[in-house]
Amino acid sequence: MLCKIRIADLLVGMHVVDTGLSWLEHPYLYSQEGMVASGQALLAIQQAGYLEAFVDTEKGAVAPIDTGPEPSREQEDAPGNGLVRTPLEQELAVAEVVYHDCLLIARDMLHDVQAGGKVDVRACSSMVDTVIDSAVRNPDALLTLCKLRRHDAYTFTHGVNVSVVAAAFGVYLGFSPQELKELGLAGLFHDVGKTRIPDAILNKPGRLTDMEFARIKRHPLLGRDLISGLKLPEGVLRGVAEHHERFDGSGYPNGLAGEAIHRWGRILAVADVYDAMTSRRSYKGPMLPTRALAVIHGMRGRDFPVALAERFIKFLGPYPVGSFVRLTNGEYGFVRTSNPKKPLLPEILVAFDQDMRPILPLRAQDLRTGDFPDLAVAEALDPVQSGVDPVPYLMGKAR
């Protein structure tokens, strides 16, 4: 189990986890992977000024995540949960085009702002509309592409990904079209204020000084100021300004807590952290979604409201669609359909045998049926390291 603890509670022998979260925004989180080997090492961590760390109580194993209580009747009846979904393989073909176009729009938007221009609200609004349309048809398509398509320009892909994750989560929660539009725009714009932070700080490889971190903490307000004259809804402005506030009041820029944080700020906070951990960066590989959700589970009640974090985990499931997994019988496959009520039992598209030899035709294995009671997911794997691309398999184009 991954647990977030105070450095004051860190002990020799505990195994610290590298979450992959950026020093730019979490400078007081100690993330040097490995066991605290001695009292001297512990003292050095304490004297360096770190305040928190994640520890793995099972030294690398991830226990099944408690996804919280079942949805209420109101949540079950929400519009986003009752729609008939477009088949995943069909929506993936559309989502490939949507995601590519979104990246181009986000890139142009940031370049314009960096050059002193204004945000093209019409283009961004149109982009968010296409994201919402795809999320309503089948949210798993864009969510899968966010994690499986490799791009070096994290600056603008991160904005698109947070917009996609937040909008899809909003569909799951049953938000209205106008609410989804506000949330999607706030996600797209959430880091635009970083265009006003010097590259020397944004790209600094080592730990920030207190003065440098003080400048970083201004980016939510700088972002709000950059879009404040564009006749956007107040919710969009507050979502941008408050996405680094934390439920316990430990966030920035204003130290807001609990319900004082706008609900878009609360949702963007968890979407932002999830994408940051699961994205491939120049200096690190992505954290597997399973492990990232375990980290988020450990942050509930402090960084995020308990109910919101648990709803988010249930929304994605421990094995999000597109995850590459090994089954307990040794075969390998891709998660094709999640199962919110029994998240550890998704539907698997079995593609390889125990020796990673292709299985053709592919076989759909629904773990929910109970036909094979001993069959389960043994572990999630990084598809890139395994040399496979899940998308063609999920689209039915693998040969």
Side-chain angles (χ1 to χ4, degrees):
M1 183 71 71
L2 302 188
C3 301
K4 189 178 185 182
I5 66 171
R6 298 177 304 165
I7 290 298
D9 297 324
L10 187 64
L11 302 173
V12 174
M14 286 185 170
H15 186 94
V16 176
V17 175
D18 179 5
T19 63
L21 293 172
S22 171
W23 286 39
L24 292 174
E25 294 164 3
H26 302 271
Y28 303 117
L29 180 68
Y30 179 70
S31 294
Q32 184 67 48
E33 182 83 27
M35 183 180 292
V36 181
S38 66
Q40 184 178 1
L42 178 59
L43 181 61
I45 295 169
Q46 294 169 339
Q47 292 179 339
Y50 293 103
L51 301 179
E52 298 174 312
F54 275 93
V55 297
D56 191 335
T57 60
E58 298 180 8
K59 295 186 179 180
V62 179
I65 300 169
D66 175 9
T67 57
E70 291 299 313
S72 67
R73 176 67 178 274
E74 179 182 8
Q75 288 169 323
E76 288 283 16
D77 292 340
N81 295 315
L83 295 173
V84 176
R85 288 187 174 187
T86 299
L88 178 64
E89 57 270 23
Q90 179 179 332
E91 187 58 32
L92 272 172
V94 177
E96 286 261 38
V97 177
V98 170
Y99 189 63
H100 177 265
D101 290 346
C102 288
L103 293 179
L104 295 179
I105 290 170
R107 180 198 63 188
D108 291 345
M109 182 263 293
L110 288 179
H111 287 173
D112 288 345
V113 173
Q114 287 172 332
K118 289 187 176 181
V119 172
D120 186 341
V121 174
R122 180 176 296 181
C124 293
S125 180
S126 176
M127 183 212 103
V128 171
D129 285 340
T130 63
V131 166
I132 293 170
D133 289 344
S134 180
V136 168
R137 291 191 298 266
N138 190 323
D140 290 330
L142 275 175
L143 289 171
T144 298
L145 293 174
C146 282
K147 296 297 97 186
L148 297 179
R149 286 295 174 249
R150 298 180 64 182
H151 298 277
D152 294 330
Y154 175 80
T155 303
F156 60 83
T157 58
H158 177 60
V160 172
N161 289 355
V162 170
S163 182
V164 166
V165 171
F169 187 35
V171 170
Y172 171 81
L173 295 174
F175 289 164
S176 70
Q178 180 56 38
E179 290 171 323
L180 292 173
K181 184 68 168 285
E182 288 188 15
L183 183 55
L185 283 170
L188 179 63
F189 297 145
H190 80 284
D191 268 351
V192 70
K194 286 185 176 178
T195 60
R196 295 295 185 263
I197 305 295
D199 288 342
I201 294 178
L202 292 176
N203 299 325
K204 184 176 179 179
R207 189 177 179 190
L208 301 176
T209 66
D210 288 345
M211 184 175 296
E212 289 168 337
F213 184 48
R215 297 195 68 175
I216 284 289
K217 289 196 293 186
R218 294 182 57 206
H219 84 265
L221 297 180
L222 292 172
R224 183 197 62 189
D225 291 346
L226 283 168
I227 62 173
S228 62
L230 302 178
K231 299 181 179 179
L232 291 165
E234 179 66 17
V236 176
L237 302 180
R238 288 195 59 185
V240 171
E242 298 172 20
H243 72 277
H244 277 294
E245 301 290 357
R246 292 296 179 256
F247 186 65
D248 64 357
S250 64
Y252 62 83
N254 294 317
L256 302 179
E259 296 297 318
I261 306 169
H262 193 279
R263 58 178 176 163
W264 301 160
R266 297 196 295 269
I267 289 175
L268 292 181
V270 68
D272 178 40
V273 166
Y274 175 76
D275 185 67
M277 287 191 290
T278 56
S279 291
R280 188 173 300 277
R281 310 286 286 275
S282 59
Y283 56 86
K284 76 169 187 73
M287 179 179 284
L288 290 175
T290 304
R291 198 166 180 82
L293 291 173
V295 171
I296 287 172
H297 187 263
M299 299 171 81
R300 74 199 194 290
R302 298 177 67 180
D303 297 78
F304 315 123
V306 173
L308 178 68
E310 292 178 348
R311 291 266 65 75
F312 187 78
I313 292 167
K314 186 175 285 290
F315 155 62
L316 287 173
Y319 307 110
V321 171
S323 296
F324 184 51
V325 298
R326 181 176 63 82
L327 299 175
T328 49
N329 66 0
E331 294 179 326
Y332 298 82
F334 308 99
V335 175
R336 187 165 74 172
T337 307
S338 58
N339 179 8
K341 291 188 176 181
K342 294 184 178 180
L344 298 178
L345 300 175
E347 182 189 25
I348 307 297
L349 194 62
V350 181
F352 303 97
D353 68 10
Q354 295 91 335
D355 298 314
M356 279 295 290
R357 292 176 300 201
I359 294 176
L360 292 174
L362 304 178
R363 184 179 84 249
Q365 184 75 59
D366 193 339
L367 302 181
R368 296 170 293 183
T369 63
D371 294 340
F372 301 91
D374 295 329
L375 188 61
V377 175
E379 63 175 332
L381 304 166
D382 183 350
V384 174
Q385 290 186 356
S386 301
V388 296
D389 181 0
V391 175
Y393 292 90
L394 297 172
M395 294 178 69
K397 294 182 178 180
R399 292 291 185 268

